[in-house]
Amino acid sequence: MMRALTWQGTHDVRVDSVPDPEIVNPRDAILKVTSTAICGSDLHLYDGVIPGVIPGDILGHEFMGEVVETGKDSTLKKGQRVVVPFTISCGGCFHCKIQQYSACENSNPAEKQDMSATLYGHPMSALFGYSHLTGGYSGGQAEYARVPFSDVGPIVVPDHLDDDQVLFLSDILPTGWMGAENAEIQPDDTVAVWGCGPVGLFAVQSALIMGASKVIAIDHYPHRLELAKQLGAEVINFKTTDVREALMEMSGGIGVDAVIDAVGMESHGFAVDNMLDMVKQKVGMGADRASALKQAILAVRAGGRVSIPGVYGGMTDKFPLGALMEKGLKVNSGQTHVQKYTKPLLDKIEDGTIDTTFLISHRLPLEEAARGYKNFREQQDSWTKVVLKPGTQKEQAA
Amino acid sequence: MKPNRQIGIAGTVAAAGVALGAAAFGAFLSRRHDGGGDDAPQFARRSNHGDHALVGRTVTIRKPAAELYAFWRDFSNLPQFMENVESIAEQGGARSRATWTIKAPGGTTVELRTEIVGETENERIAWASVEGSDIETRGEVTFTPAPGDRGTRVSLHIEYDAPGGAVGRAIAKAFQREPEVQARHDLKRFKMLMETGEIATSARRKSETRAAKQQENA
Ligand SMILES: NC(=O)c1ccc[n+]([C@@H]2O[C@H](COP(=O)([O-])OP(=O)(O)OC[C@H]3O[C@@H](n4cnc5c(N)ncnc54)[C@H](O)[C@@H]3O)[C@@H](O)[C@H]2O)c1
Ligand SMILES: [Zn+2]
Ligand SMILES: [Zn+2]
């Protein structure tokens, strides 16, 4: 038996004893998890706004660890340290071959594809620990995890880099990077980023590396805005400032060239439509709150680009479709094609271009995962990123 | 000849008998793209398919047609991805007679006896049930090269009817309510097996896979 963080219901997650995972398919590997993070995406599960989660499901899609067992077709070796992409991808289908890994056709079990196919027109590929819509795979917030397609997903990391430096290759670093890439940044661009959570902050960092002349970060938490500032962004607090007017002024009256929505379906704010959507979400009518995205679409200049790494799961009301069309905007979105970015980003970590450790505010033992969820949700300002350390007993200093 | 709603298919061919059926089936296959004024396959039509209700699906598999054809032509391979099929024994002969053992509820099985009624190497295999089979069915799989390096488009069409009475109902259940769903999932599993060498499962332990659970329930 092992310990694992399980979902029991809205705002109810618990560390339980469950049977150890085993090698099931030839390409599998089993990891002993050494570090695993709680993500903003996990909060959508925690808040009960993602369908298809079953009590007892093991959460966690950001994890790394040591290989302890390999299937006969795995290319990994026991003892290797690897970081695991949250997207489960086979490497051999049409989408994997064109590096659209998060659209892999083969990772979501056949019998689980119908639900998302009905919702979206096509089945989703599989993700770790993220509902049965995306396969129902157990996640990595556990002592051990089964990793399918271990010959194409996990990236081996060198010993001189410690967990905290590389863990975020599993999701948020590539997600911030792809968020910036999807903004198609040109050298003189001004780029605005909604949300200064982990994804937004890495999008800020990436946009600057890609040569944006100015990056403007928007949130309402002072500490998170401060982190954005330290990365080199100018910041706007949407609670005290009229965001659209500010962006027009800060971009010389043109409007920002590209916008990045790193907030997703649970945006905060008091716009009338957002309040309405919040009520609907609460009573289970399932409209995604999209106030940040709506604001972004109005703020971007004509002919500009809209990048949406923030997660949405269903429908949204009162979407400014006219602005999208009349201004001739280009939209890029999607779950991150993590496998495409792990190697180039690992290189950037190794050569010192990117540091990810500034983000971590708390390091907790796995046993305290529930406290991590609660505080990451309720004290967002100071709890910027929680890393769980299975095998440790005490909270470590951040 | 009224459609057997229970398993969601029409029973024309079954009623017509096996010998006649084979001919009718050939005719219906050639009509797959007729009528309707567009190029979509008949099973995608909104309107009904005349007397024929069909289960049909297409997937694209990133492998050469010859490889996929060869795998399928060896019927003993099919249980690897056809969830309801326990085993297929080939008797051989000119028309490649085969006996399919198909899982039915309560741990029982039913037998489907087939022979090949048409084939073109690397392009198409068609089979139909013969006398003595518990289920009357015909099926066809086609392999068509996809553009560029996208591999092969594989289309599966299955039409079948089960006898009435208790056995019939058991078979309908064995086919898991929805033949269409089953065929779709089987074809997806075929794609997985061919492209990745395994069939995706989110089970954390061997005892939790669908196959293992089916064994348990049997
Ligand atoms: N596309 C992907 O593959 C992918 C991967 C990981 C995370 N995500 C998604 O990215 C989003 C952000 O993730 P995170 O971990 O940074 O989450 P987070 O919850 O830590 O951060 C979200 C931030 O957005 C801010 N915010 C809320 N409403 C806002 C508004 N109206 N305007 C501006 N800022 C607002 C919040 O104050 C918070 O700081 C989530 O939706 C998450 O699901 C997507
Ligand atoms: Zn994540
Ligand atoms: Zn794939």
Side-chain angles (χ1 to χ4, degrees):
Chain A
M1 298 290 270
M2 66 160 184
R3 303 288 286 167
L5 188 278
T6 61
W7 187 92
Q8 300 295 340
T10 301
H11 299 156
D12 184 4
V13 293
R14 287 176 223 160
V15 178
D16 260 349
S17 291
V18 300
D20 289 340
E22 353 173 280
I23 300 284
V24 178
N25 270 339
R27 294 168 65 182
D28 290 356
I30 303 290
L31 290 198
K32 181 177 199 292
V33 179
T34 53
S35 294
T36 173
I38 303 174
C39 178
S41 298
D42 292 329
L43 292 183
H44 302 322
L45 303 172
Y46 190 63
D47 290 339
V49 298
I50 301 270
V53 193
I54 297 174
D57 282 354
I58 300 173
L59 305 189
H61 58 268
E62 303 183 356
F63 62 100
M64 64 178 294
E66 185 195 324
V67 179
V68 291
E69 231 186 301
T70 53
K72 75 172 175 45
D73 294 337
S74 171
T75 50
L76 295 176
K77 291 182 188 62
K78 280 184 200 172
Q80 279 178 327
R81 277 174 76 226
V82 296
V83 180
V84 182
F86 78 96
T87 41
I88 305 177
S89 312
C90 79
C93 69
F94 167 73
H95 286 100
C96 284
K97 287 293 180 196
I98 57 171
Q99 295 198 305
Q100 293 181 349
Y101 293 102
S102 72
C104 173
E105 299 152 59
N106 291 322
S107 56
N108 199 346
E111 66 281 359
K112 305 229 176 183
Q113 294 187 7
D114 293 341
M115 197 176 6
S116 57
T118 306
L119 260 176
Y120 305 138
H122 289 81
M124 285 187 78
S125 70
L127 310 176
F128 282 104
Y130 214 74
S131 91
H132 290 257
L133 220 60
T134 57
Y137 285 88
S138 293
Q141 288 165 4
E143 288 180 296
Y144 294 91
R146 170 188 165 229
V147 179
F149 306 124
S150 65
D151 53 326
V152 291
I155 181 165
V156 178
V157 291
D159 283 339
H160 65 268
L161 298 174
D162 54 46
D163 281 19
D164 293 350
Q165 288 176 282
V166 292
L167 172 63
F168 300 145
L169 286 169
S170 57
D171 177 355
I172 48 174
L173 180 60
T175 297
W177 185 267
M178 186 167 116
E181 204 174 77
N182 276 343
E184 299 177 3
I185 294 164
Q186 305 295 309
D188 299 328
D189 278 355
T190 299
V191 179
V193 179
W194 273 256
C196 294
V199 171
L201 290 170
F202 283 139
V204 165
Q205 192 182 36
S206 303
L208 288 166
I209 293 172
M210 289 175 196
S213 86
K214 189 195 287 195
V215 176
I216 303 166
I218 304 151
D219 206 306
H220 62 120
Y221 290 124
H223 174 62
R224 290 188 167 201
L225 288 171
E226 184 53 39
L227 289 175
K229 220 176 217 172
Q230 282 166 20
L231 291 170
E234 296 181 10
V235 301
I236 297 174
N237 185 329
F238 71 80
K239 283 266 168 78
T240 52
T241 297
D242 181 323
V243 173
R244 214 165 3 130
E245 195 179 324
L247 287 176
M248 278 302 273
E249 292 308 311
M250 292 161 87
S251 59
I254 294 175
V256 290
D257 300 284
V259 291
I260 301 175
D261 169 6
V263 176
M265 64 196 286
E266 296 188 79
S267 56
H268 315 162
F270 298 100
V272 176
D273 61 341
N274 200 38
M275 300 289 277
L276 211 64
D277 288 342
M278 195 185 304
V279 171
K280 287 183 186 164
Q281 222 169 32
K282 281 245 158 69
V283 299
M285 284 170 65
D288 289 347
R289 273 144 62 195
S291 67
L293 178 58
K294 292 171 189 174
Q295 194 171 59
I297 287 173
L298 293 179
V300 70
R301 73 164 167 83
R305 286 94 51 194
V306 180
S307 163
I308 314 173
V311 163
Y312 294 89
M315 311 283 174
T316 189
D317 290 344
K318 308 247 172 2
F319 189 77
L321 187 55
L324 187 79
M325 189 277 160
E326 300 295 349
K327 293 203 288 184
L329 305 182
K330 181 168 180 188
V331 180
N332 290 312
S333 187
Q335 296 283 354
T336 306
H337 305 303
V338 181
Q339 287 86 339
K340 176 177 175 185
Y341 301 103
T342 42
K343 179 73 179 91
L345 290 174
L346 177 62
D347 291 346
K348 285 197 164 43
I349 291 170
E350 273 208 277
D351 71 19
T353 314
I354 291 179
D355 165 56
T356 65
T357 55
F358 74 92
L359 193 65
I360 303 172
S361 58
H362 295 80
R363 296 180 180 84
L364 305 180
L366 177 64
E367 291 299 326
E368 289 186 44
R371 180 163 75 96
Y373 270 82
K374 191 169 189 319
N375 290 334
F376 182 48
R377 177 176 183 277
E378 290 173 6
Q379 303 179 42
Q380 289 216 309
D381 191 32
S382 50
W383 288 63
T384 50
K385 190 75 181 177
V386 183
V387 177
L388 304 170
K389 305 270 185 186
T392 66
Q393 307 305 324
K394 273 227 253 343
E395 179 165 355
Q396 295 162 37
Chain B
M1 278 185 267
K2 68 177 201 294
N4 182 348
R5 285 284 163 235
Q6 206 175 7
I7 54 172
I9 55 164
T12 309
V13 178
V18 174
L20 250 180
F25 186 58
F28 120 79
L29 285 177
S30 66
R31 281 199 293 114
R32 265 192 352 249
H33 290 272
D34 286 357
D38 67 23
D39 295 321
Q42 203 186 8
F43 58 76
R45 295 273 155 71
R46 231 180 261 288
S47 59
N48 64 40
H49 317 292
D51 286 339
H52 303 277
L54 272 193
V55 172
R57 268 288 149 166
T58 303
V59 293
T60 301
I61 304 181
R62 261 186 74 95
K63 291 285 171 185
E67 191 180 328
L68 302 176
Y69 173 90
F71 188 88
W72 197 294
R73 184 63 182 76
D74 179 354
F75 275 32
S76 66
N77 280 329
L78 304 186
Q80 288 182 53
F81 61 88
M82 290 186 174
E83 228 178 29
N84 290 325
V85 181
E86 205 167 275
S87 63
I88 301 183
E90 286 172 293
Q91 279 89 45
R95 310 192 91 185
S96 308
R97 289 223 168 186
T99 303
W100 310 40
T101 304
I102 295 175
K103 291 169 194 156
T108 60
T109 56
V110 294
E111 281 195 349
L112 161 64
R113 293 167 195 271
T114 58
E115 63 180 22
I116 302 269
V117 293
E119 69 180 313
T120 310
E121 197 177 355
N122 300 340
E123 289 177 15
R124 155 174 191 265
I125 307 167
W127 60 93
S129 52
V130 296
E131 244 181 271
S133 178
D134 290 338
I135 309 172
E136 302 206 30
T137 181
R138 34 225 99 244
E140 183 196 48
V141 59
T142 57
F143 306 90
T144 318
D149 61 359
R150 291 189 179 203
T152 306
R153 288 181 178 159
V154 181
S155 295
L156 174 65
H157 310 269
I158 294 177
E159 182 183 0
Y160 59 80
D161 194 15
V167 182
R169 281 194 296 278
I171 292 167
K173 267 201 186 148
F175 275 94
Q176 296 194 339
R177 304 152 293 273
E178 290 276 3
E180 181 166 359
V181 172
Q182 191 62 40
R184 179 166 79 232
H185 292 174
D186 283 348
L187 203 52
K188 288 252 163 90
R189 283 186 273 264
F190 176 56
K191 174 179 161 71
M192 288 172 179
L193 193 58
M194 294 297 97
E195 286 184 338
T196 76
E198 57 188 49
I199 291 170
T201 171
S202 54
R204 248 168 4 96
R205 300 172 64 81
K206 283 199 181 109
S207 57
E208 290 168 11
T209 59
R210 283 167 68 83
K213 283 189 176 156
Q214 281 195 352
Q215 284 285 331
E216 221 171 85
N217 295 338

